[in-house]
Amino acid sequence: MAIADLARDNLHVPAEVTSLIAEYAHVIDSGRFEEWPNLFTDPCLYRITTRENMDRGLPLSIILCDSRGMLLDRVVSVRTANVFIPHSYRHMVSCIQLMESGDNEWRLRSNYLVTRTMPDGTMCVFSTGEYRDHVVMVAGEPKFKERVVICDHSMINNLIAMPL
Amino acid sequence: MAIADLARDNLHVPAEVTSLIAEYAHVIDSGRFEEWPNLFTDPCLYRITTRENMDRGLPLSIILCDSRGMLLDRVVSVRTANVFIPHSYRHMVSCIQLMESGDNEWRLRSNYLVTRTMPDGTMCVFSTGEYRDHVVMVAGEPKFKERVVICDHSMINNLIAMPL
Amino acid sequence: MAIADLARDNLHVPAEVTSLIAEYAHVIDSGRFEEWPNLFTDPCLYRITTRENMDRGLPLSIILCDSRGMLLDRVVSVRTANVFIPHSYRHMVSCIQLMESGDNEWRLRSNYLVTRTMPDGTMCVFSTGEYRDHVVMVAGEPKFKERVVICDHSMINNLIAMPL
């Protein structure tokens, strides 16, 4: 979508939206996973897919959750399964762009980069890609009605323990 | 330039500018190269140089385009030459700062980090550095009159296939 | 702190603050270290610690400066000691979120990622983590009353020459 297609008065990304996007990152990066489902509406759509799938028009998802309950299941499995070595993420989100806006709802895209730090201090760029979000206001609070994570790569299927 | 030198009412980076900077990243990262020249005025200045050159006051450029035609030439060569392995970029842009503003024009700088993902999923930080932009409004749309890319490193001369 | 706890009219991060955060990055990344202390009030608090220390409630710091004089001492040591190979940093800062705001003062957190580039062009992700800032206006200019840097990792104690 070219900027030309957007109304000039629609370019502004409101503070409610940037704050929600920031909160999402901080919730995960500080390990407050239990708060993560509350950033979504219920029902909702949280989906991780790859750029390759998107380019080919494939509806395949690496992860798909359509309710807070499913999101919470993921959190519980992170907390209890513990099959992975404890590590932490750090999200960088930039190039947030408003695609469409309506009455208290916004469609946006942004770029993300997530680093992973292991207990021994080893750090790597874990995932990069794009977020496509649908944000709505619910009782005065911004929530993700939809967050689609499009990874630039396709080799992390069995590595994703925590949400991206 | 210290913040003290800037008028307080000039600190705000307008939505037109942040949207253009975001659009630039999304155009490249999603492979819509043909739209890239349209983000510039005609004539324009698109220049890639290195921090070392800037520090030494050298006018050398790795790449210099001064019209949409030249920008388009680069796009065509990316599309047809195909001497490089297809890969994708992901841009992170932050610390956007207004340096000067006039009537519908703004001079800004920002930091960028570009990752590159290869078809086999290998990912690396490909380039970091600074953008120095001159953005103007043309027929109600923001355009780059000038974008100077100052790379922190100097070893990518023959690796730059796609625009940074 | 959940978004629910924040007043809706408090979500907006003012331009004074984002500009200060950007200036901090540009001052360091362009090697203008002598300007760095002037971004703080006097007295101030500049502290580097680790996530591990924070999680355990340990008050340990890797670096702690509580005045412009101490900040300047660090700058002088960077300039004169020269025990390290000259290199440059590049800061990415995102997910800036307002936590509290008062009369001309703001408490914020944000995520950072710093890359390091060596003279031979070698680049790496040097540090990731969180900034916790207390910004105040002093004579019409935004200043850090407090900047706490919480690194995701704990192995860089003897590698930190320049400020993060």
Side-chain angles (χ1 to χ4, degrees), chain A residues 111-128:
Chain A
N111 283 349
Y112 76 84
L113 180 158
V114 177
T115 61
R116 188 180 61 181
T117 302
M118 305 306 280
D120 66 0
T122 319
M123 225 179 351
C124 71
V125 177
F126 177 66
S127 177
T128 61

Side-chain angles (χ1 to χ4, degrees), chain B residues 20-147:
Chain B
L20 176 67
I21 289 173
E23 177 70 3
Y24 181 101
H26 291 296
V27 158
I28 296 173
D29 296 351
S30 57
R32 294 181 281 124
F33 300 130
E34 282 73 12
E35 296 178 28
W36 176 64
N38 296 330
L39 301 176
F40 289 83
T41 60
D42 195 10
C44 61
L45 180 66
Y46 175 72
R47 194 160 93 82
I48 301 181
T49 187
T50 65
R51 187 188 166 113
E52 199 184 354
N53 285 346
M54 293 294 278
D55 285 350
R56 293 186 183 179
L58 299 176
L60 301 172
S61 297
I62 298 174
I63 287 169
L64 192 154
C65 300
D66 60 12
S67 70
R68 279 196 192 164
M70 282 186 76
L71 294 171
L72 199 57
D73 280 350
R74 284 199 59 77
V75 170
V76 170
S77 84
V78 168
R79 288 293 191 207
T80 57
N82 271 335
V83 288
F84 68 96
I85 303 168
H87 53 262
S88 63
Y89 281 171
R90 184 63 55 190
H91 284 69
M92 305 301 293
V93 183
S94 74
C95 302
I96 302 174
Q97 196 178 28
L98 194 57
M99 306 304 291
E100 275 183 69
S101 65
D103 188 22
N104 275 330
E105 62 174 321
W106 305 271
R107 286 186 184 273
L108 309 106
R109 67 178 170 196
S110 54
N111 283 349
Y112 76 84
L113 179 157
V114 177
T115 61
R116 188 180 61 181
T117 302
M118 305 305 282
D120 66 359
T122 320
M123 223 178 353
C124 70
V125 176
F126 177 66
S127 178
T128 61
E130 190 181 329
Y131 288 131
R132 296 209 187 150
D133 298 329
H134 186 181
V135 174
V136 298
M137 296 300 289
V138 177
E141 273 188 73
K143 302 280 181 189
F144 289 108
K145 187 167 181 179
E146 202 176 306
R147 166 154 273 198

Side-chain angles (χ1 to χ4, degrees), chain A residues 16 26 29 90-91 120, chain C residues 8 51 95 111 152 155:
Chain A
E16 287 87 349
H26 291 296
D29 295 350
R90 184 64 53 190
H91 283 70
D120 66 0
Chain C
R8 263 195 69 182
R51 186 188 167 113
C95 302
N111 283 349
D152 287 329
M155 297 169 63

